[in-house]
Amino acid sequence: MRDTVLPHPVDPAPRNADAGPANRPSPYRTGRGTGTVYLVGAGPGDPGLLTVRALRLLRRADVVFHDSLVSDGVLRLVVASAECVNVGKRAGGRSTDQAVINRMLIDAARRARTVVRLKGGDPLIFGRGGEEALAVRDAGVRCRIVPGVTAALGVAAYAGIPMTHRGVSSKLTFVTGREGEDASDVRVDWSRHGEAGETLAIYMGVRGLPSLATRLIRAGRDAATPVALVENGTLPRQRTIEAPLGRIGDVAAAAGITGPALIVIGEVVALRQRSDCFEARALHGVSILVARSRPQRSRLARRLAGLGADVLQAPAFDALPAPDASLDAALLCADAYDWIAFTDETAVAACWDAARRVGRDARIFGALRFAAFGRATAAALQRRGVRADVVLHSFAPAAISAAFDEYARSRPPCVLFPRIADQRSEAAAALRNAGAVVHEVIACRTAARDDGGVVRGRLENGEIDVVVFASSNSVQVFRRHVGPLVARARIAAIGPRTARAAEAAGFTPHVVANATLDSLVRALRA
């Protein structure tokens, strides 16, 4: 994904003003005729709230124009080959002019096949998506609408607030607290929203909250009406404050609420399920950096995020072809081995790529038995139609020997072991200690993206609470690509071997957990 941040103000003219339309190079794949502009709702922030349609479009987009409020988690789902353009729009900040955005969409659609206009929440609810759709269609360009979960519904649900409830509220109204570039530019007739029993969901109203509350009270709303203000809704940084309508302005100011935030006013706020809401999760609000050593997304990171942590994985990797043809040659002689053992999903994918490269399919593995270290690796095999004969969860030689007992032969088993280049494999050593003959081949190599500076910046700014090392490999890779600096972050190591590797690399572990998530969570909360 190529990121482009537009300067302000934006010059709508092409960079090469002398190049005519016929000679101007296009960075996009060009289809027949004009492309299509898709106005896509990105939801309120949590990538899990994207629609299936939206995800499919992000995976095949040629260019993506997104707002500032679209979360980083959603942007990470954009296909790597797409150009990603931030056309900014955030209260209190500089914004790209709407007419310029319209022209950019039209121009891109005339050169690219799939143009995605990615907007926070739903594109047609307080997002000016209607204006963009009309402009695109008036220019003769195809436009499709892909709705998204709007902030009022998604954020309220994550805060545990039912927006309607029988006997409490039978009316739900979406209102904008800001209709123009100036926060005072509001044309809502607040006198029509003074009745009890109506739930108000107010977008973009934080800056004018004291005035807004005063107008509602004058319109007849009880000053004791409960109000919830949800900041950074559906994201790990979500924070909810509650106060009566008459005091909400002062309470919000004291809490330092700046937005983006949704305001919910009405008796339903008193029904909020605090014990089961998003913010009640075990690690909510804890910022954790999980050190990576492989391209695939960390299972540990997924589980920590599920417990509410704000998780960053670093460094980011790309999987690249092996530097030689040793894997291809080994697969063509697969009948010389008894087993093939995998420690990660990347090696599994590389082997299937190699089989295709030599003109074969899964039958190239012949009568080989499959061993997988870890459930994620076994699942990667399962997705390719292969059930692992042995799934190992430990590198202990005794555990490996016990797992292979059922398949014991008079001679030591011969194991083909595809691995990632430049990574020491504890699994291969453990197999040898268990008596196997192991032939290691390079399945692929990895390249870390140049994000070390970004990660160091977040560490130095105190934006990371904990750095977690899950293996000695992750320590070495992190040290090489990010550096020794971890600033004020605590260090957590899973297992004594990882802790020793961290100390040897210059990191001092504050937490040493055993190889279970529960142990790590207990240690992080201590």
Side-chain angles (χ1 to χ4, degrees), residues 222-252:
D222 191 328
T225 302
V227 180
L229 194 55
V230 189
E231 184 181 47
N232 294 312
T234 79
L235 297 173
R237 305 181 302 279
Q238 177 176 308
R239 178 171 59 139
T240 303
I241 64 168
E242 297 177 55
L245 182 60
R247 296 181 49 238
I248 188 62
D250 292 338
V251 172

mmCIF file of all heavy atoms in Angstrom, residues 222-252:
data_model
loop_
_atom_site.group_PDB
_atom_site.id
_atom_site.type_symbol
_atom_site.label_atom_id
_atom_site.label_comp_id
_atom_site.label_asym_id
_atom_site.label_seq_id
_atom_site.Cartn_x
_atom_site.Cartn_y
_atom_site.Cartn_z
ATOM 1 N N ASP A 222 -35.173 17.640 30.904
ATOM 2 C CA ASP A 222 -34.789 17.720 32.306
ATOM 3 C C ASP A 222 -33.266 17.797 32.405
ATOM 4 O O ASP A 222 -32.549 17.062 31.736
ATOM 5 C CB ASP A 222 -35.287 16.471 33.028
ATOM 6 C CG ASP A 222 -35.180 16.576 34.541
ATOM 7 O OD1 ASP A 222 -34.248 17.245 35.015
ATOM 8 O OD2 ASP A 222 -36.015 15.976 35.238
ATOM 9 N N ALA A 223 -32.772 18.693 33.254
ATOM 10 C CA ALA A 223 -31.324 18.830 33.423
ATOM 11 C C ALA A 223 -30.694 17.563 33.993
ATOM 12 O O ALA A 223 -29.479 17.373 33.893
ATOM 13 C CB ALA A 223 -31.016 20.011 34.340
ATOM 14 N N ALA A 224 -31.512 16.670 34.562
ATOM 15 C CA ALA A 224 -31.009 15.418 35.130
ATOM 16 C C ALA A 224 -30.970 14.290 34.096
ATOM 17 O O ALA A 224 -30.579 13.167 34.423
ATOM 18 C CB ALA A 224 -31.855 15.003 36.325
ATOM 19 N N THR A 225 -31.392 14.558 32.862
ATOM 20 C CA THR A 225 -31.374 13.525 31.820
ATOM 21 C C THR A 225 -29.968 12.951 31.678
ATOM 22 O O THR A 225 -29.000 13.700 31.539
ATOM 23 C CB THR A 225 -31.815 14.113 30.464
ATOM 24 O OG1 THR A 225 -33.122 14.674 30.588
ATOM 25 C CG2 THR A 225 -31.809 13.038 29.391
ATOM 26 N N PRO A 226 -29.823 11.618 31.722
ATOM 27 C CA PRO A 226 -28.474 11.035 31.627
ATOM 28 C C PRO A 226 -27.875 11.206 30.236
ATOM 29 O O PRO A 226 -28.567 11.109 29.217
ATOM 30 C CB PRO A 226 -28.691 9.557 31.967
ATOM 31 C CG PRO A 226 -30.130 9.301 31.742
ATOM 32 C CD PRO A 226 -30.850 10.593 31.977
ATOM 33 N N VAL A 227 -26.576 11.473 30.214
ATOM 34 C CA VAL A 227 -25.837 11.669 28.963
ATOM 35 C C VAL A 227 -24.565 10.826 29.025
ATOM 36 O O VAL A 227 -23.902 10.756 30.058
ATOM 37 C CB VAL A 227 -25.459 13.150 28.751
ATOM 38 C CG1 VAL A 227 -24.686 13.318 27.440
ATOM 39 C CG2 VAL A 227 -26.690 14.036 28.770
ATOM 40 N N ALA A 228 -24.238 10.198 27.903
ATOM 41 C CA ALA A 228 -22.963 9.480 27.779
ATOM 42 C C ALA A 228 -22.170 10.107 26.646
ATOM 43 O O ALA A 228 -22.717 10.439 25.595
ATOM 44 C CB ALA A 228 -23.195 7.998 27.508
ATOM 45 N N LEU A 229 -20.890 10.249 26.876
ATOM 46 C CA LEU A 229 -19.982 10.774 25.859
ATOM 47 C C LEU A 229 -18.937 9.686 25.625
ATOM 48 O O LEU A 229 -18.192 9.326 26.543
ATOM 49 C CB LEU A 229 -19.334 12.060 26.368
ATOM 50 C CG LEU A 229 -18.597 12.954 25.382
ATOM 51 C CD1 LEU A 229 -19.484 13.343 24.214
ATOM 52 C CD2 LEU A 229 -18.096 14.205 26.091
ATOM 53 N N VAL A 230 -18.895 9.145 24.403
ATOM 54 C CA VAL A 230 -18.005 8.017 24.095
ATOM 55 C C VAL A 230 -16.917 8.494 23.142
ATOM 56 O O VAL A 230 -17.186 8.857 21.994
ATOM 57 C CB VAL A 230 -18.779 6.843 23.468
ATOM 58 C CG1 VAL A 230 -17.861 5.616 23.367
ATOM 59 C CG2 VAL A 230 -20.027 6.513 24.267
ATOM 60 N N GLU A 231 -15.693 8.499 23.628
ATOM 61 C CA GLU A 231 -14.544 8.951 22.851
ATOM 62 C C GLU A 231 -13.834 7.746 22.225
ATOM 63 O O GLU A 231 -13.689 6.696 22.861
ATOM 64 C CB GLU A 231 -13.577 9.707 23.766
ATOM 65 C CG GLU A 231 -12.373 10.305 23.060
ATOM 66 C CD GLU A 231 -11.453 11.009 24.031
ATOM 67 O OE1 GLU A 231 -11.140 10.437 25.103
ATOM 68 O OE2 GLU A 231 -11.058 12.157 23.743
ATOM 69 N N ASN A 232 -13.378 7.887 20.968
ATOM 70 C CA ASN A 232 -12.669 6.818 20.251
ATOM 71 C C ASN A 232 -13.446 5.511 20.277
ATOM 72 O O ASN A 232 -12.909 4.431 20.544
ATOM 73 C CB ASN A 232 -11.265 6.601 20.844
ATOM 74 C CG ASN A 232 -10.361 7.788 20.625
ATOM 75 O OD1 ASN A 232 -10.259 8.309 19.523
ATOM 76 N ND2 ASN A 232 -9.710 8.241 21.692
ATOM 77 N N GLY A 233 -14.716 5.600 19.986
ATOM 78 C CA GLY A 233 -15.596 4.443 20.065
ATOM 79 C C GLY A 233 -15.168 3.270 19.196
ATOM 80 O O GLY A 233 -14.734 3.443 18.063
ATOM 81 N N THR A 234 -15.287 2.071 19.736
ATOM 82 C CA THR A 234 -14.983 0.753 19.145
ATOM 83 C C THR A 234 -13.492 0.510 18.997
ATOM 84 O O THR A 234 -13.085 -0.568 18.541
ATOM 85 C CB THR A 234 -15.668 0.505 17.781
ATOM 86 O OG1 THR A 234 -14.960 1.172 16.723
ATOM 87 C CG2 THR A 234 -17.125 0.931 17.781
ATOM 88 N N LEU A 235 -12.659 1.468 19.371
ATOM 89 C CA LEU A 235 -11.213 1.287 19.320
ATOM 90 C C LEU A 235 -10.688 0.937 20.717
ATOM 91 O O LEU A 235 -11.358 1.192 21.726
ATOM 92 C CB LEU A 235 -10.533 2.563 18.813
ATOM 93 C CG LEU A 235 -10.892 2.973 17.378
ATOM 94 C CD1 LEU A 235 -10.283 4.335 17.053
ATOM 95 C CD2 LEU A 235 -10.428 1.927 16.381
ATOM 96 N N PRO A 236 -9.490 0.360 20.794
ATOM 97 C CA PRO A 236 -8.964 0.002 22.120
ATOM 98 C C PRO A 236 -8.848 1.181 23.073
ATOM 99 O O PRO A 236 -8.804 1.001 24.289
ATOM 100 C CB PRO A 236 -7.586 -0.585 21.797
ATOM 101 C CG PRO A 236 -7.708 -1.108 20.404
ATOM 102 C CD PRO A 236 -8.624 -0.142 19.709
ATOM 103 N N ARG A 237 -8.796 2.410 22.530
ATOM 104 C CA ARG A 237 -8.693 3.603 23.376
ATOM 105 C C ARG A 237 -10.061 4.138 23.795
ATOM 106 O O ARG A 237 -10.149 5.240 24.350
ATOM 107 C CB ARG A 237 -7.922 4.703 22.633
ATOM 108 C CG ARG A 237 -6.568 4.293 22.150
ATOM 109 C CD ARG A 237 -5.843 5.434 21.454
ATOM 110 N NE ARG A 237 -6.584 5.971 20.315
ATOM 111 C CZ ARG A 237 -6.607 5.424 19.114
ATOM 112 N NH1 ARG A 237 -5.947 4.305 18.880
ATOM 113 N NH2 ARG A 237 -7.286 5.973 18.130
ATOM 114 N N GLN A 238 -11.125 3.407 23.542
ATOM 115 C CA GLN A 238 -12.472 3.886 23.854
ATOM 116 C C GLN A 238 -12.581 4.283 25.331
ATOM 117 O O GLN A 238 -12.097 3.594 26.220
ATOM 118 C CB GLN A 238 -13.501 2.803 23.541
ATOM 119 C CG GLN A 238 -14.935 3.205 23.923
ATOM 120 C CD GLN A 238 -15.946 2.162 23.509
ATOM 121 O OE1 GLN A 238 -15.975 1.743 22.361
ATOM 122 N NE2 GLN A 238 -16.779 1.724 24.445
ATOM 123 N N ARG A 239 -13.250 5.413 25.548
ATOM 124 C CA ARG A 239 -13.473 5.911 26.910
ATOM 125 C C ARG A 239 -14.862 6.502 26.984
ATOM 126 O O ARG A 239 -15.270 7.264 26.099
ATOM 127 C CB ARG A 239 -12.421 6.958 27.260
ATOM 128 C CG ARG A 239 -12.592 7.578 28.637
ATOM 129 C CD ARG A 239 -11.412 8.437 29.042
ATOM 130 N NE ARG A 239 -11.156 9.539 28.136
ATOM 131 C CZ ARG A 239 -10.826 10.783 28.551
ATOM 132 N NH1 ARG A 239 -10.734 11.043 29.851
ATOM 133 N NH2 ARG A 239 -10.580 11.730 27.675
ATOM 134 N N THR A 240 -15.599 6.159 28.022
ATOM 135 C CA THR A 240 -16.968 6.653 28.185
ATOM 136 C C THR A 240 -17.093 7.408 29.498
ATOM 137 O O THR A 240 -16.650 6.930 30.546
ATOM 138 C CB THR A 240 -17.975 5.489 28.177
ATOM 139 O OG1 THR A 240 -17.833 4.743 26.965
ATOM 140 C CG2 THR A 240 -19.403 6.004 28.290
ATOM 141 N N ILE A 241 -17.682 8.604 29.426
ATOM 142 C CA ILE A 241 -18.002 9.340 30.651
ATOM 143 C C ILE A 241 -19.505 9.592 30.661
ATOM 144 O O ILE A 241 -20.146 9.677 29.611
ATOM 145 C CB ILE A 241 -17.231 10.666 30.759
ATOM 146 C CG1 ILE A 241 -17.643 11.624 29.637
ATOM 147 C CG2 ILE A 241 -15.729 10.437 30.740
ATOM 148 C CD1 ILE A 241 -17.150 13.043 29.855
ATOM 149 N N GLU A 242 -20.055 9.677 31.849
ATOM 150 C CA GLU A 242 -21.493 9.915 32.003
ATOM 151 C C GLU A 242 -21.703 11.087 32.961
ATOM 152 O O GLU A 242 -20.930 11.274 33.906
ATOM 153 C CB GLU A 242 -22.191 8.672 32.556
ATOM 154 C CG GLU A 242 -22.111 7.457 31.666
ATOM 155 C CD GLU A 242 -22.760 6.243 32.313
ATOM 156 O OE1 GLU A 242 -23.953 6.342 32.689
ATOM 157 O OE2 GLU A 242 -22.077 5.217 32.457
ATOM 158 N N ALA A 243 -22.762 11.839 32.707
ATOM 159 C CA ALA A 243 -23.124 12.960 33.589
ATOM 160 C C ALA A 243 -24.536 13.394 33.229
ATOM 161 O O ALA A 243 -25.021 13.118 32.122
ATOM 162 C CB ALA A 243 -22.148 14.128 33.430
ATOM 163 N N PRO A 244 -25.214 14.098 34.139
ATOM 164 C CA PRO A 244 -26.518 14.664 33.795
ATOM 165 C C PRO A 244 -26.359 15.744 32.731
ATOM 166 O O PRO A 244 -25.302 16.366 32.602
ATOM 167 C CB PRO A 244 -27.016 15.256 35.119
ATOM 168 C CG PRO A 244 -26.167 14.635 36.180
ATOM 169 C CD PRO A 244 -24.858 14.332 35.543
ATOM 170 N N LEU A 245 -27.403 15.973 31.988
ATOM 171 C CA LEU A 245 -27.367 16.948 30.903
ATOM 172 C C LEU A 245 -26.903 18.321 31.395
ATOM 173 O O LEU A 245 -26.145 19.009 30.700
ATOM 174 C CB LEU A 245 -28.758 17.057 30.260
ATOM 175 C CG LEU A 245 -28.898 17.998 29.073
ATOM 176 C CD1 LEU A 245 -27.977 17.580 27.928
ATOM 177 C CD2 LEU A 245 -30.361 18.034 28.610
ATOM 178 N N GLY A 246 -27.308 18.713 32.589
ATOM 179 C CA GLY A 246 -26.953 20.036 33.095
ATOM 180 C C GLY A 246 -25.480 20.177 33.437
ATOM 181 O O GLY A 246 -24.986 21.301 33.585
ATOM 182 N N ARG A 247 -24.754 19.064 33.585
ATOM 183 C CA ARG A 247 -23.353 19.131 33.991
ATOM 184 C C ARG A 247 -22.399 18.538 32.964
ATOM 185 O O ARG A 247 -21.183 18.559 33.154
ATOM 186 C CB ARG A 247 -23.170 18.393 35.325
ATOM 187 C CG ARG A 247 -23.899 19.010 36.500
ATOM 188 C CD ARG A 247 -23.646 18.229 37.794
ATOM 189 N NE ARG A 247 -22.217 17.990 37.992
ATOM 190 C CZ ARG A 247 -21.675 16.765 38.113
ATOM 191 N NH1 ARG A 247 -22.446 15.696 38.036
ATOM 192 N NH2 ARG A 247 -20.377 16.632 38.293
ATOM 193 N N ILE A 248 -22.926 18.002 31.852
ATOM 194 C CA ILE A 248 -22.080 17.242 30.935
ATOM 195 C C ILE A 248 -20.969 18.088 30.322
ATOM 196 O O ILE A 248 -19.856 17.608 30.097
ATOM 197 C CB ILE A 248 -22.939 16.586 29.818
ATOM 198 C CG1 ILE A 248 -22.077 15.627 28.983
ATOM 199 C CG2 ILE A 248 -23.595 17.634 28.956
ATOM 200 C CD1 ILE A 248 -21.484 14.471 29.735
ATOM 201 N N GLY A 249 -21.223 19.381 30.076
ATOM 202 C CA GLY A 249 -20.200 20.236 29.490
ATOM 203 C C GLY A 249 -18.992 20.362 30.400
ATOM 204 O O GLY A 249 -17.839 20.214 29.960
ATOM 205 N N ASP A 250 -19.235 20.610 31.687
ATOM 206 C CA ASP A 250 -18.130 20.766 32.646
ATOM 207 C C ASP A 250 -17.396 19.449 32.855
ATOM 208 O O ASP A 250 -16.162 19.418 32.944
ATOM 209 C CB ASP A 250 -18.668 21.274 33.992
ATOM 210 C CG ASP A 250 -19.199 22.697 33.902
ATOM 211 O OD1 ASP A 250 -18.784 23.424 32.969
ATOM 212 O OD2 ASP A 250 -20.040 23.070 34.742
ATOM 213 N N VAL A 251 -18.147 18.345 32.929
ATOM 214 C CA VAL A 251 -17.524 17.029 33.154
ATOM 215 C C VAL A 251 -16.656 16.637 31.962
ATOM 216 O O VAL A 251 -15.546 16.115 32.122
ATOM 217 C CB VAL A 251 -18.608 15.962 33.418
ATOM 218 C CG1 VAL A 251 -17.997 14.562 33.451
ATOM 219 C CG2 VAL A 251 -19.322 16.250 34.733
ATOM 220 N N ALA A 252 -17.144 16.902 30.746
ATOM 221 C CA ALA A 252 -16.370 16.578 29.542
ATOM 222 C C ALA A 252 -15.093 17.400 29.489
ATOM 223 O O ALA A 252 -14.018 16.893 29.131
ATOM 224 C CB ALA A 252 -17.214 16.814 28.295
#
